[in-house]
């Protein structure tokens, strides 16, 4: 009896699947994603960097949209120190937010910069004076660099890293 009930249930389920498959598929409605936003550019952005007390060996990079239109920040800023000809801080992939950061005119976003290893294990440590900031377009840099003076006594080593752009400073300093 139990076996017969299972077969009957399976037959009814199979018929329901066949009936559903016979109905023509309709396209799902597209969600309104709003207007496509331009990438932020260093020409319409103002950058500042400051030391923070916690976590140790970190600075906070702030970008403010000085343009008249909203723009988006993707990935992490590309950073170089002094006369480096390469990216001097690797992106912290685990810090990627769930969505790109959109900046309305006058709004700010943040990235945490880990300058050196807390345990002293980093190599090639040195004092640096200038930070060169490029904005990542997802396929390289967007526009030229913006160069800003670093706080006096800024020390970096090979473990320098930077978070993805975050909407608030506390999220940028978690990493």
């Amino acid at each position: 009896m139990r076996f017969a009930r299972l077969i009957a249930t399976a037959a009814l389920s199979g018929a329901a699947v066949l009936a559903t498959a016979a109905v023509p598929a309709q396209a799902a409605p597209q969600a309104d994603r709003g207007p496509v936003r331009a990438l932020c550019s260093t020409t319409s952005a103002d950058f500042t960097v400051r030391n923070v007390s916690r976590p140790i060996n970190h600075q906070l990079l702030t970008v403010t949209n000085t343009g008249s239109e909203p723009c988006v920040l993707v990935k992490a800023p590309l950073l170089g120190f002094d006369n480096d000809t390469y990216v001097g801080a690797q992106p912290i992939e685990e810090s990627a937010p769930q969505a790109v950061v959109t900046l309305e005119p006058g709004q700010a976003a943040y990235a945490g910069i880990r300058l050196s290893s807390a345990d002293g294990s980093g190599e090639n440590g040195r004092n640096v004076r200038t930070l060169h900031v490029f904005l990542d377009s997802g396929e390289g840099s967007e526009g030229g660099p913006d160069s800003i003076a670093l706080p006096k006594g800024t020390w970096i080593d090979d473990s320098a890293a930077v978070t993805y752009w975050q909407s608030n400073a506390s999220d940028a300093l978690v990493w």
Side-chain angles (χ1 to χ4, degrees):
M1 182 100 152
R2 187 182 209 183
F3 184 70
R5 209 178 294 154
L6 286 174
I7 291 177
T9 303
L12 288 174
S13 295
V17 168
L18 289 174
T20 303
V23 175
Q26 295 180 1
Q30 292 293 322
D32 181 16
R33 299 184 194 277
V36 175
R37 305 283 188 204
L39 292 173
C40 294
S41 171
T42 55
T43 59
S44 60
D46 183 40
F47 297 91
T48 60
V49 65
R50 67 178 176 89
N51 290 329
V52 294
S53 59
R54 289 189 181 170
I56 63 169
N57 303 339
H58 278 67
Q59 289 179 336
L60 183 66
L61 177 63
T62 303
V63 60
T64 303
N65 180 359
T66 59
S68 59
E69 298 291 325
C71 64
V72 295
L73 295 164
V74 296
K75 299 198 173 200
L78 304 172
L79 305 180
F81 297 97
D82 286 345
N83 295 323
D84 290 346
T85 56
Y86 60 91
V87 175
Q90 296 303 312
I92 301 171
E93 296 298 331
E94 297 83 17
S95 70
Q98 291 186 0
V100 296
V101 175
T102 299
L103 290 183
E104 296 294 328
Q107 279 188 323
Y110 310 90
I113 304 171
R114 182 182 67 217
L115 301 168
S116 59
S117 62
D119 63 2
S121 62
E123 296 179 2
N124 300 313
R126 64 193 187 283
N127 281 310
V128 290
R129 296 181 182 174
T130 307
L131 178 66
H132 307 288
V133 182
F134 296 85
L135 294 177
D136 195 335
S137 69
E139 298 176 6
S141 65
E142 180 70 20
D146 194 19
S147 299
I148 52 179
L150 288 166
K152 189 174 184 172
T154 298
W155 175 267
I156 65 166
D157 65 26
D158 290 345
S159 67
V162 63
T163 68
Y164 276 56
W165 290 109
Q166 306 292 326
S167 297
N168 64 60
S170 59
D171 287 345
L173 294 172
V174 167
W175 308 96

